[in-house]
Amino acid sequence: MKQDELKQKAALAALDYIPEDGVLGIGSGSTVNLFIAALATKAHLIDSTVASSVASFNLLKHYKIPVLDFNQVASIDVYIDGADEINPLFQMIKGGGGCLLREKILATAAKKFVCIVDGSKMVTALGAFPLAIEVLPMAQSYVARELVKLGGLPVLRDGFISDNHNVILDVHHLPLHEPIALEEKLAGIPGILGTGLFAKRPADSVLLATTEGLQFKERT
Ligand code: 5RP
C-alpha cells in the first residue's frame, strides 16, 4: 500500500474523534488535508474548529466547515495533527510544513491530542528528521550560532516565511537523547519563537496506519 493510502486510512479513522458540542483543533500537512476533506462529509456534526495554519484555515473554509480564530474559543477539546517522527513515548518531531509554532500552541491548549500517521513516521528514537525551529528574522544569525554550540547544523529554509512572518531553521544532528531537556534549552534561547520538538506535550493517542492495518494506541 502506498504512503498516501496509509495517510488516508489514518485520516479517516480520526473522524471518530470529533468532539460532541466541542471545539476541534486542526493541524497542518498532507495527512491533515485528507482529514479535512473527510471532515467535510461530517460538517453537520462539527460545532467549531480552529486551525494551526493559514493553509488549513483556508481548506476548512473551502469545505464550508465552521472555523474560528483561536482567540474566539475558550478551550480546545480535541486536536488532530500529523507528525514527521513519533517515538514510543508519543513525543514528536513536527514542523516539516513550517507550521510548528501555531501547532504547538493549539496542541498544548488541547485537552486531547490525536496524532495521525503512516508507519514511516514511527521511530525508536527521534532525530533523523531535521528539527524545524521558527526564528525571529533579526536574530537568525545569533540563533544559528547558538544551535551550532549545541551540536546542531542549522540550514535556513530557503525562500520560506512562516504564517507568523518568521524564518525557519532546519537543524540537523542535534543530540535528541533527552528530548524534554533539549526542548527546554531551545526555548531559553532568545530569538527562538518555537520548535518542532513536541516532547513536553506528546500526543495522547496515535492512529497508526501500516500495511498490516490500523493501530489505535493510547499513551499510558
Ligand atoms: C506541519 C507538520 C506536519 O504535521 C508534519 O510535517 C507531517 O506532515 P504530513 O502529514 O504531510 O506528512 O508538522 O508543520
Side-chain angles (χ1 to χ4, degrees):
M1 202 177 280
K2 293 196 191 116
Q3 189 181 22
D4 280 353
E5 292 169 334
L6 296 174
K7 287 183 178 189
Q8 173 78 1
K9 273 196 169 199
L12 288 178
L15 291 175
D16 289 344
Y17 288 81
I18 300 171
E20 258 177 52
D21 302 323
V23 178
L24 177 61
I26 308 277
S28 304
S30 58
T31 315
V32 166
N33 289 347
L34 295 168
F35 173 65
I36 294 173
L39 209 53
T41 64
K42 308 267 179 192
H44 58 287
L45 297 179
I46 298 163
D47 195 36
S48 48
T49 66
V50 290
S52 68
S53 62
V54 172
S56 292
F57 182 92
N58 289 340
L59 199 56
L60 287 159
K61 283 270 182 205
H62 170 81
Y63 284 116
K64 301 192 173 22
I65 297 167
V67 53
L68 296 174
D69 191 278
F70 182 44
N71 287 315
Q72 293 174 283
V73 304
S75 61
I76 297 175
D77 294 275
V78 178
Y79 178 67
I80 295 181
D81 201 355
D84 299 302
E85 288 184 346
I86 182 161
N87 73 12
L89 297 175
F90 295 179
Q91 298 168 323
M92 292 155 285
I93 285 187
K94 293 182 42 54
C99 315
L100 52 118
L101 180 53
R102 296 186 189 198
E103 289 174 348
K104 193 172 287 184
I105 293 169
L106 298 194
T108 304
K111 293 177 193 149
K112 183 176 179 70
F113 181 170
V114 180
C115 184
I116 49 176
V117 284
D118 66 87
S120 70
K121 310 293 184 67
M122 202 81 207
V123 297
T124 46
L126 300 174
F129 198 92
L131 181 62
I133 298 189
E134 182 157 347
V135 178
L136 197 70
M138 62 78 72
Q140 176 192 318
S141 300
Y142 167 74
V143 167
R145 288 194 293 274
E146 293 301 303
L147 293 168
V148 169
K149 285 184 200 162
L150 294 178
L153 173 65
V155 178
L156 179 67
R157 197 175 292 189
D158 206 17
F160 184 88
I161 296 293
S162 74
D163 286 346
N164 318 303
H165 311 292
N166 299 306
V167 294
I168 300 282
L169 295 175
D170 289 304
V171 191
H172 303 253
H173 310 316
L174 274 175
L176 265 149
H177 40 270
E178 287 182 46
I180 292 179
L182 181 64
E183 188 176 349
E184 283 172 347
K185 196 178 279 182
L186 293 171
I189 298 176
I192 289 185
L193 302 168
T195 74
L197 185 53
F198 283 57
K200 293 176 75 177
R201 198 329 170 198
D204 299 301
S205 310
V206 179
L207 302 179
L208 172 69
T210 69
T211 43
E212 276 86 58
L214 189 70
Q215 292 175 47
F216 299 78
K217 294 167 175 270
E218 291 293 321
R219 186 156 57 88
T220 47

